[in-house]
Amino acid sequence: MTAETASFFFHPATFFAVGAAGAALLPRAIHRWLLPAMAVLAFGVMVCISQGDGGANLYLHWLGLDLNLARVDRLSIIFAHIFALQAILGCIYAMHLKDRWQHVASMAYVGGAFVCVFAGDYLTLFIGWELMSVASTLLIWFRRRQQSTAAGFRYFLVHTFGGLVLLGGIMLRYQATGNFDFNPVDPNALQLYDWLILLGFAVNAAVVPLHAWLPDAYPEATVTGAVFMSAFTTKTAVYVLARAFAGVEILGILGVVMCLWGVFYATMENNARRILSYHIVSQVGYMVAGIGIGTAMTVNGACAHAYAHILYKGLLFMGAGCLLHAAGTANLSQLGGLARRLPLVFVLYMAAAVSISGMPFFNGFISKTMTIAGAAESHHTWLALGMEIAAVGTFLSVGIKLPYFAFFAKPDSTLQLEPIPVNMYVAMFGGAVLCLVTGLFPNLLYSLLPFPMHAEQITAYTPFVTGLGHVEFHPYDLFNILQAFTLLGFTGLGFYLLRNVLTPHAQRNMDFEWFYVLVGKAFYTLVSRPAAWIDSIWSEVYRTLGLPGLKLGAKGASAFDVAAIDGVVDGSAKTVGATGRLAARLQTGDLQHYAALATALGLGIAACLWWLG
C-alpha cells in the first residue's frame, strides 16, 4: 500500500475522527470543548484551501486499486466550506449534552460527509456514504423512544436499499470500465450502471417518491441530531449529483416536483420538525432542478442554495429543537403563547424563516433567485414557474403558519417550560448572523461557486454544463426585490384570510408511506400465499404417507429393541449375575476349601499349557 499527494492537502475528516475518539474516551469537561475546536480547525483548513482553485489530490494504491481519497476543486471546496462552518454551529449547539455517544455519532457522521465530498473514486465515496448512513441512524435511536427506534429501523432499511443499489451500479460500472473513477457522466449516454448509481444518489437526496424516509425519521431524531442531519445527508447527495449528473434533464423535472410536493405537505402538518423536514424535500428540489437543467448559472444556483440552505435550515431545526427541549413537544396544536416567554428563540427562528422564504437581504434570496433566473434564461419557463409557486408555500408554512401557532396562538398558555442552555442560544445567534451577512454581502458566497462570475477563463469541473458565458448574476436589482416583496406580501394576506383553515390538527398525514405499506403487503402476500399452499400440500403428504411410515418405523424399531438390544443387554446382565452368585458360593471362609480350589485351578492351567504346547 502506497500513498502520494499532488500538492499538500490535510483531509478535514481527520479532525472529526479525532473528535469522535475524544468524545468516546475523554472526560466530558474536555471533549465538550474538543469537538467545536476540531470543527474550527477543519474550517481553517477549508478557508486556506478556498483561497485557490484547488488542484490537490491524495492518491492511495492498495490491492491493485488506484484510489483518490481527496480530489480538491471548486465544487468540493464550496460544500466542504459550509460543512465545516455548520459543524462548528452544531457542535456549539450540542455542548450541553451529557450523552457522549451522541457526540461520537455526530462526529462520525460529519466525517463521513467530508469523505464523500472529497472522494475521487466510487469506493472511497461508498465508504463515506455508508458511514453517514450508520451514524445518522444512531442519531435517531439515541433519542431512546419507541417511535424513534421504529423510525430508525425504517430509515436504515431505506438507506440500506439505496446503498445496495449504489453498490450494484458501482460494481457494474467497474466491470464495464475497469476503474472506480468518480467523474461526470455524459447525460446523453447513460448506461444501466449510471442509472443505478443515480437511483442510489436519489434516495439520499429524498427525490420524490423516494423521500418519505425524511419526514418520517428527522422528527424522531434527538434534538441536536436533527440539526446535524438537516445539513449533511441530502446536501451530500446534492454534491454527488452535481459532480456526476449535471444536465440530466429528468432531474430538472423531479426537482420541481420536490419543490411543490414538499410545500404542499408542509402546509398540512402539525409537528414543527415534520414541517421543516418537508421543507428540506422542497428546498433540495431547487438544487436538484438546477443540476438537472445543467447550465452554469443553475448549477451555481444549486450550490449557492445548498450553502444557504444548510445555514438557515440548521437554524430552523435549532429553533424547533429549543421548543422541543423547553416545552417537551414540537406539535403546534400543543404550543402557543411563547413569543413573550421565549423571545430570543422567536427572533432567531424568524431570521431563518425569512431566509428560507427568500426575503431580500437574507441568504435564501441571493441563492433561490439565481436558480429560478437561470431556469428562465435557459427557456425552462414551466420549471421556473413551479419554483416560484413553491416559494409562496414556503413562506406560508415556515414563515407564517409555524411561528404564528407556536409563538402567538393561545396567548394565555401556561405550558411548563424547561430552561434552554446558553450554548443553544449562542449557536442560533451565530447561524442568524451568517444568514444575514451572506445575504447582505452575496459575493462572500458567490466567490466560492464552482463557476466564478468574474473569471476571464472558467475551468469547468464537467464538460457537460452549458452556458459558461452567462454566469454573472446580480440579485439586488429592482425587479427581483419588488417581485420578492410582492410574493411575500400576498402570501401573508392569504394566510390572514385562511388562518382558520390552516389551524393545525393533532394528526399525521400519510405521504408515500401508503405506497411503501402497499408494497410491503404485496410482498408479504406474494411470499405467504405460495408458502401457505406448499405448506398445506406438505401437511397432506405427511398425513397420508409420512405419519403411517413413521408409525411403521417405530414398530420396527421397538421390535428390534426387544429382540436385539434388550437380548444383548439382558443376556449380559444375566451372565454377570450368575457369575456373581457362583463367586458368592465359593467364598465359604474355609481355608482347606480355598486350598483345594487353588490346587484345582493350578492343575487346570498346567493341563491347558501342556495341551497347547
Side-chain angles (χ1 to χ4, degrees):
M1 179 175 66
T2 59
E4 60 183 68
T5 60
S7 76
F8 177 76
F9 176 75
F10 190 88
H11 206 303
T14 307
F15 295 114
F16 296 98
V18 173
L25 301 175
L26 297 177
R28 178 172 176 267
I30 298 177
H31 77 239
R32 70 192 298 261
W33 295 102
L34 173 67
L35 303 188
M38 292 296 100
V40 169
L41 289 175
F43 182 69
V45 169
M46 294 317 307
V47 169
C48 294
I49 294 174
S50 64
Q51 301 305 311
D53 291 331
N57 289 274
L58 177 61
Y59 296 103
L60 178 67
H61 305 286
W62 181 60
L63 297 179
L65 300 174
D66 295 323
L67 306 180
N68 187 355
L69 304 183
R71 171 181 49 200
V72 184
D73 59 12
R74 293 187 65 89
L75 181 64
S76 59
I77 285 173
I78 185 172
F79 280 88
H81 192 279
I82 185 55
F83 281 1
L85 192 56
Q86 183 63 23
I88 297 173
L89 297 176
C91 289
I92 295 173
Y93 189 77
M95 285 182 70
H96 65 283
L97 285 181
K98 296 180 181 179
D99 184 357
R100 66 172 65 242
W101 300 113
Q102 287 194 47
H103 292 303
V104 173
S106 61
M107 290 297 97
Y109 179 51
V110 178
F114 274 96
V115 171
C116 292
V117 164
F118 286 113
D121 64 87
Y122 276 109
L123 281 186
T124 304
L125 172 67
F126 186 75
I127 291 171
W129 200 260
E130 293 305 301
L131 176 59
M132 292 182 68
S133 175
V134 173
S136 55
T137 301
L138 294 176
L139 290 175
I140 302 170
W141 282 341
F142 284 156
R143 195 176 175 193
R144 295 179 173 87
R145 299 197 319 158
Q146 183 178 355
Q147 299 93 321
S148 299
T149 301
F153 274 113
R154 293 191 294 270
Y155 175 91
F156 187 69
L157 285 174
V158 171
H159 284 273
T160 298
F161 165 76
L164 290 174
V165 172
L166 174 60
L167 181 61
I170 291 171
M171 298 313 295
L172 288 176
R173 183 187 180 281
Y174 179 76
Q175 186 179 40
T177 65
N179 64 73
F180 289 106
D181 295 345
F182 180 31
N183 291 322
V185 177
D186 185 349
N188 298 313
L190 295 179
Q191 304 299 316
L192 173 61
Y193 51 80
D194 294 318
W195 286 110
L196 289 175
I197 293 171
L198 177 58
L199 179 60
F201 290 166
V203 171
N204 275 30
V207 173
V208 176
L210 305 172
H211 68 289
W213 58 267
L214 197 157
D216 177 48
Y218 281 25
E220 299 300 335
T222 65
V223 168
T224 57
V227 173
F228 283 101
M229 293 172 69
S230 70
F232 293 99
T233 296
T234 49
K235 264 59 72 183
T236 301
V238 168
Y239 164 78
V240 295
L241 288 173
R243 171 68 67 185
F245 295 104
V248 176
E249 290 187 6
I250 188 63
L251 292 178
I253 299 171
L254 290 174
V256 175
V257 171
M258 293 170 67
C259 294
L260 297 170
W261 192 280
V263 297
F264 174 75
Y265 268 89
T267 57
M268 299 187 295
E269 287 298 332
N270 177 44
N271 184 280
R273 297 207 296 177
R274 192 164 165 85
I275 292 172
L276 298 179
S277 297
Y278 269 113
H279 275 288
I280 293 178
V281 176
S282 178
Q283 296 300 302
V284 171
Y286 287 89
M287 308 167 208
V288 172
I291 292 167
I293 294 170
T295 68
M297 181 179 290
T298 59
V299 173
N300 267 358
C303 295
H305 202 51
Y307 195 105
H309 178 264
I310 288 173
L311 289 175
Y312 63 64
K313 185 60 70 174
L315 180 54
L316 288 169
F317 267 92
M318 288 179 191
C322 284
L323 296 179
L324 181 59
H325 177 89
T329 181
N331 292 328
L332 300 184
S333 58
Q334 298 174 263
L335 298 172
L338 298 179
R340 60 182 176 81
R341 303 175 66 187
L342 298 174
L344 284 178
V345 174
F346 168 67
V347 171
L348 296 173
Y349 170 87
M350 286 308 300
V354 296
S355 294
I356 192 176
S357 302
M359 180 174 286
F361 315 118
F362 289 86
N363 61 1
F365 173 75
I366 69 167
S367 59
K368 189 180 297 185
T369 51
M370 181 186 295
T371 306
I372 297 173
E377 288 187 10
S378 60
H379 307 293
H380 291 82
T381 307
W382 287 105
L383 300 185
L385 181 61
M387 287 186 274
E388 286 283 17
I389 295 172
V392 174
T394 301
F395 185 53
L396 178 67
S397 54
V398 177
I400 305 178
K401 174 188 171 179
L402 194 158
Y404 175 79
F405 289 107
F407 293 100
F408 293 101
K410 303 176 185 177
D412 299 324
S413 173
T414 58
L415 195 65
Q416 293 293 324
L417 300 180
E418 295 292 329
I420 297 173
V422 174
N423 60 285
M424 296 173 76
Y425 283 117
V426 172
M428 291 185 69
F429 180 77
V433 169
L434 289 171
C435 287
L436 180 60
V437 169
T438 52
L440 290 174
F441 304 100
N443 284 334
L444 292 175
L445 173 54
Y446 291 171
S447 64
L448 298 171
L449 294 176
F451 302 105
M453 293 187 181
H454 306 294
E456 295 182 1
Q457 183 176 2
I458 297 176
T459 302
Y461 74 89
T462 171
F464 306 113
V465 167
T466 61
L468 293 178
H470 301 84
V471 181
E472 195 165 347
F473 176 73
H474 301 284
Y476 287 111
D477 63 24
L478 186 60
F479 174 79
N480 287 336
I481 294 174
L482 290 178
Q483 181 189 42
F485 279 120
T486 300
L487 287 175
L488 296 175
F490 275 104
T491 303
L493 177 62
F495 176 80
Y496 177 78
L497 296 175
L498 299 173
R499 63 189 183 280
N500 293 328
V501 177
L502 295 172
T503 300
H505 301 284
Q507 66 182 33
R508 171 170 170 163
N509 301 296
M510 287 293 289
D511 190 356
F512 258 88
E513 294 104 323
W514 71 267
F515 179 74
Y516 299 163
V517 171
L518 181 65
V519 171
K521 288 182 177 179
F523 178 77
Y524 176 78
T525 301
L526 184 66
V527 172
S528 63
R529 287 188 177 179
W533 179 74
I534 294 171
D535 181 67
S536 65
I537 293 178
W538 170 251
S539 298
E540 185 64 24
V541 170
Y542 176 77
R543 186 183 66 81
T544 305
L545 300 176
L547 192 57
L550 285 175
K551 290 180 178 179
L552 183 61
K555 290 181 179 179
S558 177
F560 177 77
D561 178 64
V562 172
I565 304 299
D566 288 353
V568 172
V569 173
D570 292 349
S572 299
K574 290 177 181 179
T575 301
V576 171
T579 304
R581 287 192 293 273
L582 177 61
R585 290 194 194 100
L586 294 176
Q587 294 180 4
T588 61
D590 187 344
L591 183 60
Q592 291 180 345
H593 190 192
Y594 289 159
L597 286 174
T599 301
L601 182 62
L603 290 174
I605 293 173
C608 288
L609 292 173
W610 177 80
W611 184 75
L612 291 172

